[in-house]
Coordinates of all heavy atoms in Angstrom, one line a residue:
Q258 N 82.4 125.7 104.4 CA 82.8 125.9 105.7 C 81.6 126.2 106.6 O 80.8 127.1 106.3 CB 83.8 127.0 105.8 CG 84.3 127.3 107.2 CD 85.3 128.4 107.2 OE1 86.4 128.3 106.6 NE2 85.1 129.5 108.0
V259 N 81.4 125.5 107.7 CA 80.3 125.7 108.7 C 80.8 126.3 110.0 O 80.0 126.9 110.7 CB 79.5 124.4 108.9 CG1 78.9 123.9 107.7 CG2 80.4 123.4 109.6
A260 N 82.1 126.2 110.3 CA 82.7 126.8 111.5 C 84.2 126.9 111.4 O 84.8 126.1 110.7 CB 82.3 126.0 112.7
R261 N 84.7 128.0 112.0 CA 86.2 128.2 112.1 C 86.5 128.6 113.6 O 86.0 129.6 114.1 CB 86.6 129.3 111.2 CG 88.1 129.5 111.1 CD 88.5 130.5 110.0 NE 89.9 130.6 109.9 CZ 90.7 131.5 110.6 NH1 90.1 132.3 111.5 NH2 92.0 131.6 110.4
L262 N 87.2 127.7 114.3 CA 87.4 127.9 115.7 C 88.9 128.1 115.9 O 89.7 127.3 115.5 CB 87.0 126.6 116.4 CG 85.6 126.0 116.1 CD1 85.4 124.7 116.7 CD2 84.5 127.0 116.4
V263 N 89.2 129.2 116.6 CA 90.6 129.6 116.8 C 91.0 129.5 118.2 O 90.3 130.0 119.1 CB 90.8 131.1 116.3 CG1 92.3 131.5 116.5 CG2 90.5 131.2 114.8
N264 N 92.1 128.9 118.5 CA 92.7 128.8 119.8 C 94.1 129.3 119.8 O 95.0 128.6 119.3 CB 92.7 127.3 120.3 CG 93.2 127.2 121.7 OD1 93.6 128.1 122.3 ND2 93.3 125.9 122.2
D265 N 94.3 130.5 120.2 CA 95.7 131.2 120.1 C 96.7 130.6 121.1 O 97.9 130.8 121.0 CB 95.6 132.7 120.4 CG 94.9 133.4 119.2 OD1 95.3 133.1 118.0 OD2 94.0 134.2 119.4
G266 N 96.1 129.9 122.2 CA 97.0 129.4 123.2 C 96.9 127.9 123.4 O 96.8 127.4 124.6
A267 N 96.9 127.1 122.4 CA 96.9 125.7 122.5 C 98.1 125.1 123.2 O 99.2 125.6 123.0 CB 96.8 125.0 121.1
L268 N 97.9 124.2 124.1 CA 99.0 123.6 124.9 C 99.4 122.2 124.3 O 98.6 121.6 123.7 CB 98.5 123.4 126.4 CG 98.1 124.7 127.1 CD1 97.6 124.4 128.5 CD2 99.2 125.7 127.1
A269 N 100.6 121.8 124.6 CA 101.0 120.4 124.2 C 100.1 119.5 125.0 O 99.9 119.6 126.2 CB 102.4 120.2 124.6
G270 N 99.5 118.5 124.3 CA 98.5 117.6 124.9 C 97.1 117.8 124.3 O 97.0 118.2 123.2
I271 N 96.1 117.5 125.1 CA 94.7 117.5 124.7 C 94.2 118.9 124.9 O 94.3 119.5 126.0 CB 93.9 116.5 125.3 CG1 94.4 115.1 124.9 CG2 92.4 116.6 124.9 CD1 93.6 113.9 125.6
N272 N 93.5 119.5 123.9 CA 92.9 120.8 124.0 C 91.4 120.7 123.6 O 91.1 119.8 122.8 CB 93.6 121.8 123.1 CG 95.0 122.1 123.5 OD1 95.3 123.1 124.1 ND2 95.9 121.2 123.1
T273 N 90.6 121.6 124.1 CA 89.1 121.5 123.8 C 88.7 123.0 123.4 O 89.0 123.9 124.2 CB 88.3 121.0 124.9 OG1 88.7 119.7 125.2 CG2 86.8 121.0 124.6
V274 N 88.0 123.1 122.3 CA 87.4 124.4 122.0 C 85.9 124.2 121.9 O 85.4 123.3 121.3 CB 88.0 124.9 120.6 CG1 89.4 125.4 120.8 CG2 87.9 123.9 119.5

Side-chain angles (χ1 to χ4, degrees):
Q258 179 177 303
V259 298
R261 185 174 184 271
L262 313 173
V263 179
N264 181 1
D265 288 316
L268 303 176
I271 296 178
N272 294 262
T273 299
V274 288

